[in-house]
Amino acid sequence: MEKAICKETEKWPYIYTATPSTFLRERSHPLYPQIRDLAEHEVQSLIASQEEDGSWPVTWQWDAYPDEWAVSKVWWKCIQIIERLLFLRGMGALTVQSRCGILCDECRFTDCPGCVHIPDPFWGHCTLKGCCEEKNLSHCGTCQECPCDTLTAFAYEENEGDDGKRIRQCQTWHDTL
């Protein structure tokens, strides 16, 4: 594995190559100690190279199949977003996971890295995410109106509510700032 990883780290954002995240997703992986420096460098490289829409550039293409590539490139971007955010989360680089205080790594519905790190949640448009982003807030806990009526309604909703757990989580995130 160590021999397979490209050691020319400056090339990682621009070429299709093996990086530490190709082989591990978290620091507890038994191979992490062998490639610790490279893995930590990849964390910083991914944070620096993430595009405004939350994706990363796809570093390859299918020159002989331009029409097929136009569709496939979108799929590859989605795959990269999920894989890289899971790696960043496993490496402890992602703390705030959602705008509303939900801990996405505890979600029973999907393996989502959290709406903070992607354009839209897996289930569609979210009023709370939109509100935070319009106000340029990292999460609801940083808003002067927290908990607002919308967050409270989400937190205590009959089917999907959590009896205020997300409100308490927003406060915890706020207190760590």
Side-chain angles (χ1 to χ4, degrees), residues 32-162:
Y32 173 75
Q34 296 172 9
I35 58 170
R36 175 188 336 255
D37 291 343
L38 288 169
E40 296 300 332
H41 183 84
E42 184 175 8
V43 167
Q44 296 308 312
S45 177
L46 289 174
I47 290 169
S49 63
Q50 189 174 23
E51 296 183 340
E52 192 172 304
D53 68 356
S55 71
W56 285 267
V58 176
T59 58
W60 68 93
Q61 61 185 21
W62 301 341
D63 291 330
Y65 306 96
D67 294 337
E68 293 82 357
W69 178 243
V71 173
S72 295
K73 183 176 181 179
V74 174
W75 283 90
W76 279 112
K77 277 191 141 188
C78 295
I79 291 167
Q80 282 184 331
I81 290 169
I82 293 167
E83 289 178 346
R84 289 175 175 178
L85 289 175
L86 288 172
F87 172 72
L88 289 171
R89 184 174 70 189
M91 295 295 288
L94 306 178
T95 53
V96 174
Q97 299 175 15
S98 68
R99 303 291 185 200
C100 69
I102 289 176
L103 296 175
C104 299
D105 55 1
E106 296 177 5
C107 180
R108 68 182 187 272
F109 295 111
T110 184
D111 194 10
C112 175
C115 70
V116 171
H117 310 288
I118 56 178
D120 285 308
F122 71 93
W123 46 269
H125 174 75
C126 176
T127 305
L128 291 168
K129 175 179 171 54
C131 179
C132 283
E133 291 174 357
E134 283 176 23
K135 294 178 179 180
N136 202 25
L137 301 172
S138 61
H139 57 81
C140 292
T142 57
C143 182
Q144 292 180 344
E145 299 172 35
C146 185
C148 67
D149 292 341
T150 305
L151 179 60
T152 301
F154 269 69
Y156 293 98
E157 197 270 330
E158 184 177 339
N159 295 318
E160 299 301 326
D162 55 15

Side-chain angles (χ1 to χ4, degrees), residues 2-9 11-12 15 17-20 38:
E2 192 174 355
K3 290 180 181 179
I5 296 173
C6 175
K7 307 292 187 295
E8 298 173 85
T9 58
K11 292 184 177 181
W12 289 353
I15 65 170
T17 190
T19 62
L38 288 169

